[in-house]
Amino acid sequence: MDVAKSKNWGWYALFVLPLLLIFVTVVIVPFLIGIFYSFFDWDGIRANPMVFVGIENYLKLLDDARFIDSAWITIKFTILAVISVNIVGLTFALLVTSKLRTANLARTFVFMPYLIGGLLLGYIWQFVFTDVFAMVGEITGFDSIFFNWLMHPDYALYALVIVFTWQMAGYIMIIYIAGIQSIPGEVIEASKIDGANLWQRIRKIVFPLLMPSFTISLFLTLSFAFKIYDTNLSLTGGGPANATELFAMNIYNEIFGYANYGYGQAKAIIFFLIIAIISLTQVYMTKKREVQM
């Protein structure tokens, strides 16, 4: 028995240790180094001295108007994105799990945008918002709706939400499909026999039993929305007038644009803590509402 256990532990180590080593090397070590650098005033060039400033970089964040504006923009974007992605993803999941003849084809087309890289996706939609919208506005006369959203500070963020939703909805749809298909058919049939209509079945049966899927989907959309950078870069570049400069772009510009390496690392640490607190709170709250089958 001991020999069998030792062999099992050997196989576990063979598969787990390389991944653990990669995780420590790529994630843990750079994170600890980033914490170390956040206590220094440094421009990132090794030839230049690193001046220890303690928590001054963190205190400076309280007076950084651009960073605070970026934080509020990111929070607004995340709220809109999480709501829109999950509504669209769940709607598609309900449609393709119904008796739809083209369900498999619909799944493929809805999921395909997720396979496109964020940079390429941003450039594609940049063409849509600048050229296609202008052309549609001229043809239809609805130029108050169809114009270049990317040049308007009040609409550029909504354009970013639309692109993010278009990209993520198909991926979230797959999670909801798995959750819907795991609901026992007997429960649905019993509700039909009891006279429950479609909306009652969705509200009283499907939604409560989908809470594990809600937990995963909300966690993924929250983390992805907070960390978005590539689409932000290619679609708006943070403009116009920094109206769409989200957290990740603000940190990148601080480190590589303004050569404030230590201060940028302090921003990154605060960024990590915000994401961790919000994500863990969301998981805790949705886990409490999950229904045990």
Side-chain angles (χ1 to χ4, degrees), residues 59-96:
L59 295 176
K60 196 193 304 184
L61 290 173
L62 301 175
D63 297 324
D64 190 337
R66 186 170 177 178
F67 180 72
I68 294 173
D69 289 343
S70 175
W72 284 117
I73 293 169
T74 305
I75 291 171
K76 181 180 177 181
F77 166 78
T78 302
I79 292 172
L80 294 173
V82 168
I83 293 172
S84 61
V85 168
N86 283 277
I87 289 176
V88 174
L90 179 59
T91 301
F92 280 131
L94 292 172
L95 286 175
V96 300

Side-chain angles (χ1 to χ4, degrees), residues 7-21:
K7 287 184 178 179
N8 288 336
W9 277 109
W11 282 109
Y12 294 152
L14 177 64
F15 288 105
V16 173
L17 286 179
L19 297 177
L20 185 61
L21 179 62

Side-chain angles (χ1 to χ4, degrees), residues 90-91 94 191 195-208:
L90 179 59
T91 301
L94 292 172
S191 66
N197 57 36
L198 177 61
W199 172 242
Q200 288 173 331
R201 292 198 299 272
I202 292 175
R203 187 165 62 92
K204 297 292 186 180
I205 298 174
V206 175
F207 279 5

Side-chain angles (χ1 to χ4, degrees), residues 34 37-38 40 42 57 61 250-252 254-255 259-270:
Y37 284 148
S38 69
F40 290 85
W42 186 43
N57 285 330
L61 290 173
N250 182 275
I251 294 169
Y252 180 89
E254 192 68 52
I255 294 176
N260 295 326
Y261 201 90
Y263 184 46
Q265 286 294 338
K267 287 185 176 183
I269 300 303
I270 297 299

Side-chain angles (χ1 to χ4, degrees), residues 202-251:
I202 292 175
R203 187 165 62 92
K204 297 292 186 180
I205 298 174
V206 175
F207 279 5
L209 295 179
L210 270 181
M211 282 310 298
S213 298
F214 281 123
T215 300
I216 298 171
S217 298
L218 289 173
F219 173 78
L220 290 175
T221 47
L222 267 173
S223 59
F224 286 169
F226 266 114
K227 296 184 296 183
I228 185 173
Y229 173 76
D230 48 1
T231 306
N232 189 192
L233 175 65
S234 59
L235 184 67
T236 65
N242 299 324
T244 59
E245 186 184 60
L246 303 184
F247 255 144
M249 178 168 288
N250 182 275
I251 294 169

Side-chain angles (χ1 to χ4, degrees), residues 1-128:
M1 193 69 180
D2 292 336
V3 175
K5 284 184 178 181
S6 62
K7 287 184 178 179
N8 288 336
W9 277 109
W11 282 109
Y12 294 152
L14 177 64
F15 288 105
V16 173
L17 286 179
L19 297 177
L20 185 61
L21 179 62
I22 293 172
F23 178 77
V24 171
T25 305
V26 175
V27 178
I28 302 299
V29 172
F31 178 72
L32 295 176
I33 293 174
I35 295 176
F36 173 76
Y37 284 148
S38 69
F39 296 108
F40 290 85
D41 181 14
W42 186 43
D43 60 4
I45 301 175
R46 290 188 178 275
N48 295 334
M50 296 171 57
V51 180
F52 180 78
V53 294
I55 62 171
E56 183 179 324
N57 285 330
Y58 293 94
L59 295 176
K60 196 193 304 184
L61 290 173
L62 301 175
D63 297 324
D64 190 337
R66 186 170 177 178
F67 180 72
I68 294 173
D69 289 343
S70 175
W72 284 117
I73 293 169
T74 305
I75 291 171
K76 181 180 177 181
F77 166 78
T78 302
I79 292 172
L80 294 173
V82 168
I83 293 172
S84 61
V85 168
N86 283 277
I87 289 176
V88 174
L90 179 59
T91 301
F92 280 131
L94 292 172
L95 286 175
V96 300
T97 52
S98 61
K99 295 179 180 179
L100 187 68
R101 291 184 178 180
T102 58
N104 291 331
L105 185 63
R107 292 185 194 185
T108 302
F109 279 112
V110 174
F111 184 74
M112 279 180 63
Y114 181 73
L115 303 177
I116 304 175
L119 283 173
L120 180 59
L121 196 69
Y123 289 125
I124 292 172
W125 276 90
Q126 191 179 79
F127 166 75
V128 173

